[in-house]
Amino acid sequence: MNEPTRITLPDQDLPTAWYNVVPDLPQPPPPVLHPGTLEPVGPDDLAPLFPMGLIAQEVTSERWVDIPGPVLDVYRMWRPTPLFRARRLEKALGTPARIYYKYEGVSPAGSHKPNTAVAQAFYNASEGVAKLTTETGAGQWGSALAFACAQFGLDCEVWQVRASWDQKPYRRTMMQVWGATVHPSPSDVTETGRRILAEDPNSPGSLGIAISEAVEVAASDPNTKYALGSVLNHVLMHQTVIGQEALAQLAQVGETPDLLVGCTGGGSNFAGLSFPFLREKLAGRMDPVIRCVEPAACPSLTKGVYRYDFGDTAGMTPLVKMHTLGHDFVPDPIHAGGLRYHGMAPLVSHLYELGLLEAEAIGQVECFEAAVLFARTEGIIPAPEPTHALAAAIREARRCRESGEEKVILTALCGHGHFDLRAYEQYLAGELVDYDYPEEKVRQAMERIPAVPA
Amino acid sequence: MNEPTRITLPDQDLPTAWYNVVPDLPQPPPPVLHPGTLEPVGPDDLAPLFPMGLIAQEVTSERWVDIPGPVLDVYRMWRPTPLFRARRLEKALGTPARIYYKYEGVSPAGSHKPNTAVAQAFYNASEGVAKLTTETGAGQWGSALAFACAQFGLDCEVWQVRASWDQKPYRRTMMQVWGATVHPSPSDVTETGRRILAEDPNSPGSLGIAISEAVEVAASDPNTKYALGSVLNHVLMHQTVIGQEALAQLAQVGETPDLLVGCTGGGSNFAGLSFPFLREKLAGRMDPVIRCVEPAACPSLTKGVYRYDFGDTAGMTPLVKMHTLGHDFVPDPIHAGGLRYHGMAPLVSHLYELGLLEAEAIGQVECFEAAVLFARTEGIIPAPEPTHALAAAIREARRCRESGEEKVILTALCGHGHFDLRAYEQYLAGELVDYDYPEEKVRQAMERIPAVPA
């Protein structure tokens, strides 16, 4: 072995600042608007839900934001994370491409989500907040926040979409082991929940409903705030520890990427990997193609429109300019629950409009085919979300086999699939299906996007 | 922070040889006997089931056995594993003790089992074996072997105890993702299985039955061999990479352990951690107390007899001298399935007889209480097996709080509990119970231990 398979970063090289891409962009992103006044929102509009430390980060023009010591101390439980050269996968593909993946599944919650959950819990705790509320679907985000709250002595209350609560009980138990209180959503502890249950006692719930419940409880108690796991600028910024480490690890083995591929749901994992590389690209120090990969069933970048829309289904949030399929579009039930979001992070959307990013959409059957090949060669069973990025990396590696190009491909394996084996079971049994793109449903949802004067 | 929480070992310090404790012992362990002749078994007796490379390791008197390059290459996917200082747990306990844990849950299969599975798959593959068979309960060992076989192009056929097959389907799916064929045991593909199903079509199975099925298939096909996940000398030796790394990691931070605690089922995880430290103890370079922790429901060391007995329930294996509760003793259904073994590895038993090891037994409720405290402080949700070691470490740390002793405690967290959350659910609901020690059942089982002249 001339070069290692697992590229570790010395502990002392853990990044000590988050990277904010905004000041490096040729144009600033459009402002977030108040839905009533259509004026840009200010800190006071956000204060009922978020602590000032995070609101400041949401709008900062600083390029680097120092990571507080207590957050670094928790990061050190699993960071720096390993970067792997996928030698066994390359061999199985017979490709001259060199494939690297940054693995975030080593965190206690098993995904990249704790990178921001820990930061959010810290800032809330240091401003005297006693409890955080949030929503979760399959439970990746909810479990990350439950873990983070346990580290800073915060209470944590999670509304889990009823369908997931019933089907995937073990992420719920994981949250409870870490001390969180978990409700099925719709629940009888909020007005929103009671109203929906009155209409339909068997409602399977949705992320939109769960957000409304978590926000309702946070807004009604001054000691309680709300936490979001993706989409917002500060969340994306917290994730940049991923890309910063990967940059250093690739440099360690003398590599420069030709292509970055990352899966995009809300955009935080993708941004975490790619923004530090984008900085290098904008500065002319490297020139990688940076590609978003989204599910064919929920293709906000490749099929959506770039418009002001609500972040949630019920239309309670400020208006953000983003690629959207319409805020009340409900995607088909693909297994990559973390990618079933109608919109795309405003920052990722802005970069896509600027032509700095590419995007492609892939169906879930091809993704699981890639995942099983990956598991049998590289050993790790991926969560359904990053299988999209793996499928795209494999597409490219196969193209390299034809062309003979020795491309360096970098991707992020943002989580393991230990709680997603039902999906693999279905794939192995030949029962997994691709959904046709719901053109008519999207067209209708787009009609309900609010009209905002340019 | 003056000292790190996560102590990593540089990649180049991955151990390159396994440590065999036998030549360092004051007395050699008693031989394994053929059940018919009562003479020591020779290599030819074992050849139908194991490749010569492993048989040689079973009886070697070499102190160090080189790890082959292809095995090291697979180890490098996750080794060296991290050693953690449990600072947050210490703080919660208010103890002056310093607690360290070596974490093996970072392997693809999530436990220490791949350390030997990879070695066993390699030696079988290099002797032209096409397929390995084995048994598994909850699936830790079966999934490790499935992963290892995928790495060396071997077929893998696993008999999973029917009760686990029904209750814990996801480890089965994990094995299938890695390409293994998995049968519920008893199955209709073996004579043993068919015989048992004819008597009881609803048999829940047992490890003993599953072993019989796996051995039957291996013995009947020259291209198929059998693999065992614990108990045997070579299996224990493969695990010594754990202790060798821990020794180097503790030295890195200038620590010498006062106490080692490890959970014991078959004994492989315990041996892997402790044997390299035992070598230091025997050489007079350090003097740690080394303590086995076993479940109160299956206390082979603390309540068993040191006798020649069968390794399996059906009495098909050679006779090994070990601490045993009787080969047909069936422990109560505690969640730590990996510790539900009637005997103890002959080497661990021999060391216990020599007075080099201590042992204590702990009930599962105390173990889960320790596990939840550990999860909320250290972030990692442990498998039920290592919760026994954690509970013992916590007992000791609390004693140190009383006495003021600054003891250095080392333990092994041999696996994560991602597939064991049902047990946590029961604990959190107050439904987990301790079983009374089944004195009468053990007495009866002991009467059926074969009589072997001294």
Side-chain angles (χ1 to χ4, degrees), chain A residues 335 368 384 420-428 432, chain B residues 170 173:
Chain A
H335 282 286
F368 274 88
D420 306 287
L421 283 161
R422 175 79 187 114
Y424 283 90
E425 201 181 5
Q426 289 183 349
Y427 170 76
L428 292 173
L432 203 71
Chain B
Y170 296 131
T173 306

Side-chain angles (χ1 to χ4, degrees), chain A residues 45-340:
Chain A
D45 295 311
L46 301 170
L49 292 185
F50 302 105
M52 276 303 168
L54 293 176
I55 293 172
Q57 290 183 0
E58 187 64 18
V59 296
T60 184
S61 55
E62 295 295 320
R63 183 172 284 111
W64 298 100
V65 174
D66 281 345
I67 306 176
V71 174
L72 287 174
D73 281 350
V74 180
Y75 280 178
R76 285 190 184 98
M77 294 165 81
W78 73 95
R79 303 208 73 87
T81 62
L83 178 76
F84 288 93
R85 166 86 183 269
R87 292 178 183 279
R88 291 171 168 79
L89 176 63
E90 292 168 16
K91 200 175 156 199
L93 293 168
T95 181
R98 299 195 290 282
I99 305 171
Y100 293 87
Y101 58 96
K102 179 75 170 161
Y103 185 42
E104 292 291 307
V106 294
S107 81
S111 78
H112 66 296
K113 293 289 186 190
N115 295 330
T116 184
V118 170
Q120 293 189 47
F122 166 77
Y123 286 105
N124 277 285
S126 48
E127 295 184 27
V129 172
K131 187 202 282 189
L132 284 179
T133 66
T134 199
E135 74 291 336
T136 200
Q140 289 271 22
W141 167 243
S143 58
L145 194 68
F147 156 72
C149 284
Q151 292 298 319
F152 292 101
L154 286 171
D155 288 339
C156 182
E157 200 166 352
V158 183
W159 278 262
Q160 183 173 27
V161 175
R162 177 89 221 185
S164 296
W165 166 282
D166 289 335
Q167 289 161 12
K168 298 193 175 183
Y170 296 131
R171 276 223 176 253
R172 171 180 83 218
T173 306
M174 199 175 197
M175 294 182 248
Q176 291 166 332
V177 167
W178 281 320
T181 303
V182 192
H183 308 281
S185 170
S187 74
D188 59 6
V189 299
T190 69
E191 250 178 63
T192 308
R194 285 189 293 269
R195 182 169 49 76
I196 290 163
L197 286 173
E199 288 164 15
D200 176 8
N202 297 316
S203 166
S206 73
L207 270 177
I209 295 167
I211 291 175
S212 303
E213 294 199 90
V215 165
E216 181 185 319
V217 169
S220 67
D221 176 359
N223 293 319
T224 298
K225 302 273 181 195
Y226 168 74
L228 191 65
S230 190
V231 178
L232 299 177
N233 295 352
H234 69 270
V235 179
L236 273 53
M237 187 183 74
H238 296 155
Q239 295 293 354
T240 59
V241 289
I242 302 173
Q244 292 183 61
E245 288 178 7
L247 201 52
Q249 284 161 313
L250 281 181
Q252 221 171 269
V253 293
E255 292 276 39
T256 310
D258 298 301
L259 173 69
L260 268 73
V261 285
C263 62
T264 46
S268 77
N269 157 65
F270 174 82
L273 178 71
S274 65
F275 284 5
F277 287 88
L278 185 63
R279 177 166 189 263
E280 299 302 298
K281 186 183 169 98
L282 290 166
R285 288 188 289 266
M286 56 174 71
D287 193 24
V289 168
I290 305 180
R291 188 174 295 153
C292 304
V293 192
E294 52 188 17
C298 192
S300 53
L301 285 171
T302 55
K303 302 266 191 178
V305 287
Y306 186 54
R307 294 264 302 272
Y308 271 101
D309 197 2
F310 294 109
D312 71 322
T313 303
M316 293 169 62
T317 68
L319 289 165
V320 290
K321 195 160 183 186
M322 62 180 176
H323 290 84
T324 177
L325 297 162
H327 60 273
D328 64 3
F329 169 69
V330 178
D332 286 313
I334 54 169
H335 282 286
L339 307 185
R340 293 179 66 237

